[in-house]
Amino acid sequence: MKIAFLTDPLSHFKTYKDSTYAMMVEADKRGYAIYAFGPDDMALESGKVIANISRITLTGDSQNWFRLAEPESLPLSAFDAVLQRKDPPFDMEYIYATYLLELAEQQGARVFNKPAAIRNHNEKLSIAQFSQFTAPTLVTRDEQRIRVFHKEHQDIILKPLDGMGGTGIFRIREDGMNLGSVIETLTVNGSRTIMVQRYIPEIVHGDKRILLIGGKVVPFALARIPQNGEVRGNLAAGGLGVAQELSARDLEIAQTLAPELYQRGLLLVGLDVIGANLTEVNVTSPTCFQEITQQKGFNVAGMFIDALETAIAA
């Protein structure tokens, strides 16, 4: 089997924690040929979606971990699977890439997650489709609505709809200090829509990442626990990752969403859950494979490649 990874530059990978790297290692162990390319390598030429794609050889060295063959200009349909693993920002270039990938699908490529499904599931807004699992939430660019929401709930979180890694998240407490400034900053003076949620105190116990693979639930979550007075548990913001078994509520949320999201073309999903509340549905490049595997011995990458094999055979 030939697997092509659409990803960020390989030289940027932190191999000790990168989930895409874990996928590559597992695929390589099974004897599959692995390749890599970036969004800037793609083109639509003479009606075909092609890319400059390089085969990867894994070295086993944690520093100089790969060797790249000379790139070849190949149609994406030449591969058994194309894995979309490009990190946000989810900007217009990201969207253009999904359009090209969708065209490639029409030409025979098998792309995971499906590009239309990625495009249709904003990682913040998608929780509104499962409101039975969410804390009180407001999506708006209107300052007055935000102020009314704050008056009702007193302690709130404000965040952009296109952020990642905890960037741009603010907490405003009962006194409302700096609320106006935060609203102006995040909405760019009323020109950008944001999300506002009631603060969930259980964040002190961690922002749990729950992985859904092939419509099934990984049995462990990674609780990302805020450190040093932070309100954000994201690993990128300095959170401490602690793998743990799923609670009954975690399972309820995950088992409800897993088959539905898989049917929509999402092979891999990362749910974010704080306390009893679903806060995000991550579909672009969900992570935390290695942390769960290292702490609990559960081969997340193995489960993923199993699911990929099943999807390809279907």
Side-chain angles (χ1 to χ4, degrees), residues 1 19 22-23 25-27 29-30 32 83 210-221 246 251 254-255 258-259 262 266-269 289 292-293 297-312:
M1 190 157 70
S19 294
M23 294 174 185
V25 170
E26 183 66 28
K29 283 180 182 176
R30 300 188 189 199
Y32 299 148
L83 300 186
I210 301 171
L211 294 169
L212 313 180
I213 297 175
K216 299 178 181 178
V217 182
V218 173
F220 301 98
L246 302 185
L251 277 171
Q255 290 174 345
Y262 183 54
L266 296 166
L267 181 71
L268 172 61
V269 178
F289 280 37
I292 292 171
T293 298
F298 183 85
N299 187 357
V300 182
M303 180 177 173
F304 176 79
I305 297 298
D306 286 346
L308 181 64
E309 291 170 344
T310 299
I312 290 169

Side-chain angles (χ1 to χ4, degrees), residues 15 21 25 28 34 56-68:
T15 56
Y21 174 73
V25 170
D28 183 67
I34 54 176
I56 308 168
T57 299
L58 302 183
T59 66
D61 184 323
S62 62
Q63 299 300 317
N64 300 309
W65 63 273
F66 67 92
R67 291 196 302 271
L68 283 181

Side-chain angles (χ1 to χ4, degrees), residues 9-298:
L10 302 183
S11 59
H12 295 180
F13 281 29
K14 295 180 174 65
T15 56
Y16 65 92
K17 69 173 186 176
D18 194 283
S19 294
T20 304
Y21 174 73
M23 294 174 185
M24 290 178 173
V25 170
E26 183 66 28
D28 183 67
K29 283 180 182 176
R30 300 188 189 199
Y32 299 148
I34 54 176
Y35 298 76
F37 67 106
D40 54 333
D41 293 313
M42 283 197 296
L44 176 64
E45 190 172 282
S46 301
K48 292 286 186 181
V49 179
I50 60 173
N52 293 327
I53 302 179
S54 299
R55 185 164 180 175
I56 308 168
T57 299
L58 302 183
T59 66
D61 184 323
S62 62
Q63 299 300 317
N64 300 309
W65 63 273
F66 67 92
R67 291 196 302 271
L68 283 181
E70 285 298 313
E72 298 179 74
S73 184
L74 297 169
L76 297 188
S77 57
F79 297 87
D80 296 284
V82 176
L83 300 186
Q84 205 310 98
R85 293 292 300 171
K86 174 72 177 68
D87 283 342
F90 197 85
D91 53 16
M92 283 308 301
E93 284 299 322
Y94 207 116
I95 291 172
Y96 295 149
T98 68
Y99 289 140
L100 289 175
L101 290 170
E102 198 169 7
L103 283 170
E105 285 185 313
Q106 296 170 17
Q107 296 164 7
R110 303 290 302 277
V111 184
F112 306 92
N113 287 327
K114 288 184 72 67
I118 291 175
R119 201 167 57 240
N120 291 340
H121 289 81
N122 176 274
E123 298 189 324
K124 307 294 191 298
L125 272 173
S126 290
I127 66 170
Q129 300 178 47
F130 307 100
S131 58
Q132 71 270 35
F133 299 128
T134 64
T137 299
L138 172 70
V139 177
T140 186
R141 65 174 71 177
D142 182 80
E143 179 176 354
Q144 188 55 37
R145 289 183 186 276
I146 297 171
R147 289 189 177 278
V148 169
F149 188 88
H150 175 258
K151 185 176 181 181
E152 178 182 358
H153 296 288
Q154 300 293 301
D155 198 352
I156 63 173
I157 294 290
L158 303 92
K159 55 187 175 183
L161 292 176
D162 60 354
M164 66 165 290
T167 57
I169 293 178
F170 292 87
R171 179 184 180 186
I172 299 295
R173 301 174 190 256
E174 293 83 352
D175 59 12
M177 184 176 293
N178 291 326
L179 177 58
S181 177
V182 169
I183 294 171
E184 290 170 9
T185 299
L186 288 183
T187 68
V188 191
N189 294 310
S191 66
R192 298 193 68 182
T193 302
I194 65 170
M195 177 172 281
V196 190
Q197 293 177 309
R198 186 189 68 198
Y199 175 72
I200 305 169
E202 290 88 348
I203 183 61
V204 298
H205 303 300
D207 179 354
K208 290 172 285 187
R209 167 59 54 84
I210 301 171
L211 294 169
L212 313 180
I213 297 175
K216 299 178 181 178
V217 182
V218 173
F220 301 98
L222 189 75
R224 297 159 299 172
I225 302 170
Q227 303 293 297
N228 303 316
E230 268 284 358
V231 71
R232 303 170 298 173
N234 308 73
L235 300 182
L240 174 66
V242 178
Q244 57 188 225
E245 293 185 1
L246 302 185
S247 69
R249 176 64 168 181
D250 295 339
L251 277 171
E252 180 188 5
I253 296 170
Q255 290 174 345
T256 300
L257 271 63
E260 173 66 25
L261 294 176
Y262 183 54
Q263 287 299 315
R264 296 181 189 182
L266 296 166
L267 181 71
L268 172 61
V269 178
L271 305 180
D272 287 351
V273 173
I274 302 174
N277 301 280
L278 176 68
T279 60
E280 290 190 19
V281 178
N282 294 273
V283 301
T284 50
S285 57
T287 59
C288 300
F289 280 37
Q290 294 210 58
E291 293 87 349
I292 292 171
T293 298
Q294 290 160 4
Q295 294 182 38
K296 293 297 183 180
F298 183 85

